[in-house]
Structure formats: C-alpha cells, structure tokens
Amino acid sequence: VSLTVDGKVVYSYCQKLFESAQAIRDYAQGLQSEPRGDLRIGGAEHVATYFLPPMLRDFRKRAPLVSLKYLSG
C-alpha cells in the first residue's frame, strides 16, 4: 500500500499541522506553569528588615511575574 502523489501532499500538510498543534500545546503549558499574580506578606518590622530581603531577591528571580507587597504590623 502506498500513497498517491496527492495523498503524499496531503500527508505532508497533516504532519505540519500536527507539529504546529504540538508546539501550541507546549507553549500553552509553559504559560500555565509560570507563577503570576499578587502575593501579600505580613509580619513584624524586624522580619522585613533582616530576614525578608535575601528571600525576596531569590523569589523575584524565580517568579518575576508575581507582584509582592509587604504589610508590617
């Protein structure tokens, strides 16, 4: 069994469509795995001064799309 000339052309287009669909799926999956949104952190003033800065720098590198807000109290 073999494809006709027209069948080979259609098969080639189908392969390209399949590859494009897979690329779109991979791209969309990457969008979903990227953390984003707002994060509010509350705590004592000394925590914000001494402990949070190094942690927040690391967090910012790993999740640049997350907006951080610190509330002291």
Side-chain angles (χ1 to χ4, degrees):
V1 177
S2 63
L3 294 174
T4 63
V5 172
D6 291 335
K8 289 178 183 179
V9 170
V10 171
Y11 180 76
S12 173
Y13 284 120
C14 288
Q15 283 182 309
K16 290 175 186 174
L17 284 171
F18 178 78
E19 291 169 3
S20 293
Q22 185 63 44
I24 291 169
R25 198 173 300 119
D26 293 344
Y27 180 78
Q29 191 172 29
L31 290 175
Q32 293 173 355
S33 64
E34 183 86 25
R36 65 184 76 228
D38 297 326
L39 176 62
R40 291 179 187 88
I41 303 170
E45 197 66 35
H46 71 278
V47 172
T49 303
Y50 299 105
F51 298 106
L52 279 181
M55 288 188 239
L56 294 179
R57 271 193 300 275
D58 183 50
F59 182 82
R60 279 263 196 227
K61 290 177 187 173
R62 292 185 293 133
L65 299 178
V66 174
S67 172
L68 296 170
K69 183 168 185 165
Y70 181 77
L71 307 168
S72 63

